């Protein structure tokens, strides 16, 4: 049933994107937003991506939906201040036998939106890399050559092969929220988070902690020099109409600082 409904969901405007901010810890400034899918079903209400992305992957609907996500996110970011980036999640199924198509889709979306490639980030998970490792590396390298940045999402919960860190053109590691959630109650989690931050620094890769919900977690991450954070403490995912308001809220401080003689 849901399969059929998903097929018409895009055309019926039931699919939308919400945007969750990233915060730079040092400057306290928002650096950009991650685009996250939402499906408002007319009968079942809001269906989380964890449920419908699997359906989209099985049915092949991931291709039109994934293309729509990239185009929509680029259009949105083109209207934001220029220092902000937008990141989109790419699923393993979007890569399967379609490596050239996906590069073309991204290039066209950037051109149509008038967005610089350096403002787009793609988030992949390690599952993308399990099959066709060489083809995937080639694809990521062509995106990287265009100036697009690549983030490894949910780092730590997959196979976390350190080979990926050596062979992939990675710009950012996103430490999975499960480690962040437990790091203040579990010394092993804290050790893992601290080590990943250190590893990323040594490899000259940026690092972002996902799922930061409390000031205490932010304090710990600041202490260990984690450069960016994302999570409900900074902001929940919000519809596009609320992005400008959130950016303005952080403005008074920044403006005040700039106005100092
Ligand atoms: P993700 O990319 O790791 O996104 C982070 C998820 O954690 C989001 O859930 C976000 O709402 C949630 N989150 C963020 N901060 C916090 C926090 O402080 N506490 C807690 N408890 N949760 C937090 P969401 O939006 O339900 O997305 C789930 C997953 O669905 C995403 O995980 C991503 O893998 C996938 N997804 C979402 N949008 C897309 C898309 O456009 N394409 C693809 N292929 N996958 C997507
Ligand atoms: Mg993500
Ligand atoms: Mg994640």
């Amino acid at each position: 049933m849901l399969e059929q409904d998903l097929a018409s969901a895009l055309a019926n405007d039931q699919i939308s994107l919400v945007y969750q901010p990233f915060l730079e810890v040092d400057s306290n400034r928002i650096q950009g937003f991650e685009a996250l899918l939402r499906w408002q079903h007319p009968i079942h209400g809001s269906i989380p991506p964890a449920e419908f992305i699997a359906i989209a992957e099985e049915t092949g609907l991931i291709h039109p939906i994934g293309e729509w996500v990239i185009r929509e996110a680029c259009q949105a970011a083109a209207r934001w201040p220029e220092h902000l980036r937008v990141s989109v999640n790419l699923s393993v199924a979007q890569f399967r036998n379609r490596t050239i198509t996906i590069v073309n889709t991204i290039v066209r979306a950037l051109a149509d939106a008038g967005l610089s490639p350096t403002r787009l980030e793609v988030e992949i998970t390690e599952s993308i890399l399990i099959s066709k490792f060489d083809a995937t590396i080639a694809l990521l390298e062509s995106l990287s050559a265009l100036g697009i940045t690549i983030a490894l999402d949910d780092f730590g919960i997959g196979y976390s092969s350190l080979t990926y860190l050596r062979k992939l053109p990675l710009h950012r590691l996103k430490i999975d929220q499960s480690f962040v959630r437990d790091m203040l109650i579990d010394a092993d989690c804290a050790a893992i988070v601290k080590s990943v931050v250190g590893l990323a620094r040594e490899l000259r890769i940026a690092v972002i902690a996902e799922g930061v919900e409390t000031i205490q977690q932010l304090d710990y991450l600041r202490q260990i020099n984690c450069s960016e954070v994302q999570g409900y403490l900074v902001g929940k995912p919000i519809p596009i109409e609320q992005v400008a308001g959130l950016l303005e809220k952080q403005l008074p401080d920044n403006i005040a600082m700039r106005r100092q003689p």
Side-chain angles (χ1 to χ4, degrees):
M1 284 286 268
L2 277 184
E3 273 181 37
Q4 279 174 16
D5 293 349
L6 188 58
S8 53
L10 250 190
N12 294 339
D13 284 338
Q14 293 164 11
I15 301 273
S16 63
L17 287 179
V18 285
Y19 296 87
Q20 187 179 30
F22 318 110
L23 187 83
E24 185 176 58
V25 176
D26 271 354
S27 64
N28 237 3
R29 291 194 59 164
I30 290 171
Q31 298 296 314
F33 294 83
E34 175 175 6
L36 294 159
L37 268 169
R38 293 293 178 262
W39 179 13
Q40 189 60 35
H41 189 282
I43 296 161
H44 304 296
S46 171
I47 301 179
E51 276 177 44
F52 72 84
I53 293 215
I55 302 175
E57 287 176 344
E58 283 158 25
T59 54
L61 287 167
I62 193 70
H63 297 296
I65 293 175
E67 178 170 349
W68 178 84
V69 168
I70 293 165
R71 295 187 63 80
E72 186 80 7
C74 288
Q75 299 279 353
R79 297 192 294 267
W80 300 342
E82 280 196 4
H83 66 282
L84 298 177
R85 67 177 190 270
V86 68
S87 74
V88 295
N89 293 280
L90 293 185
S91 123
V92 61
Q94 280 172 276
F95 281 58
R96 212 168 282 141
N97 304 325
R98 304 230 184 178
T99 43
I100 298 170
T101 324
I102 198 145
V103 176
N104 289 340
T105 299
I106 292 174
V107 168
R108 223 176 320 119
L110 287 165
D112 290 349
L115 187 74
S116 160
T118 55
R119 295 181 58 200
L120 176 66
E121 183 151 295
V122 299
E123 298 193 7
I124 56 163
T125 58
E126 289 161 89
S127 57
I128 279 182
L129 303 161
I130 290 166
S131 62
K132 301 228 174 117
F133 189 62
D134 292 339
T136 308
I137 293 184
L139 161 72
L140 296 177
E141 269 166 359
S142 45
L143 292 180
S144 182
L146 291 168
I148 295 161
T149 52
I150 321 273
L152 192 53
D153 204 356
D154 305 342
F155 186 72
I157 56 163
Y159 293 93
S160 298
S161 164
L162 299 178
T163 302
Y164 299 149
L165 300 187
R166 195 161 68 90
K167 294 207 170 147
L168 290 176
L170 281 182
H171 303 89
R172 204 178 314 276
L173 286 185
K174 299 191 75 173
I175 305 177
D176 188 68
Q177 48 184 282
S178 56
F179 300 104
V180 175
R181 186 180 56 229
D182 292 341
M183 69 187 178
L184 296 185
I185 47 172
D186 177 342
D188 291 345
C189 266
I192 290 171
V193 171
K194 192 173 173 186
S195 305
V196 173
V197 170
L199 177 66
R201 187 184 324 111
E202 294 293 320
L203 292 169
R204 294 172 303 281
I205 299 174
V207 67
I208 175 161
E210 302 190 79
V212 177
E213 293 185 357
T214 69
I215 271 287
Q216 289 79 8
Q217 289 168 341
L218 178 63
D219 285 344
Y220 178 74
L221 291 162
R222 183 181 288 117
Q223 248 177 55
I224 63 169
N225 293 319
C226 179
S227 46
E228 281 187 26
V229 295
Q230 187 181 17
Y232 295 167
L233 178 71
V234 178
K236 290 195 169 175
I238 49 173
I240 186 73
E241 309 81 61
Q242 293 175 24
V243 165
L246 183 72
L247 291 171
E248 255 169 45
K249 239 177 44 191
Q250 73 165 6
L251 267 184
D253 266 347
N254 302 328
I255 290 170
M257 275 164 56
R258 286 212 191 100
R259 281 189 183 156
Q260 300 271 330

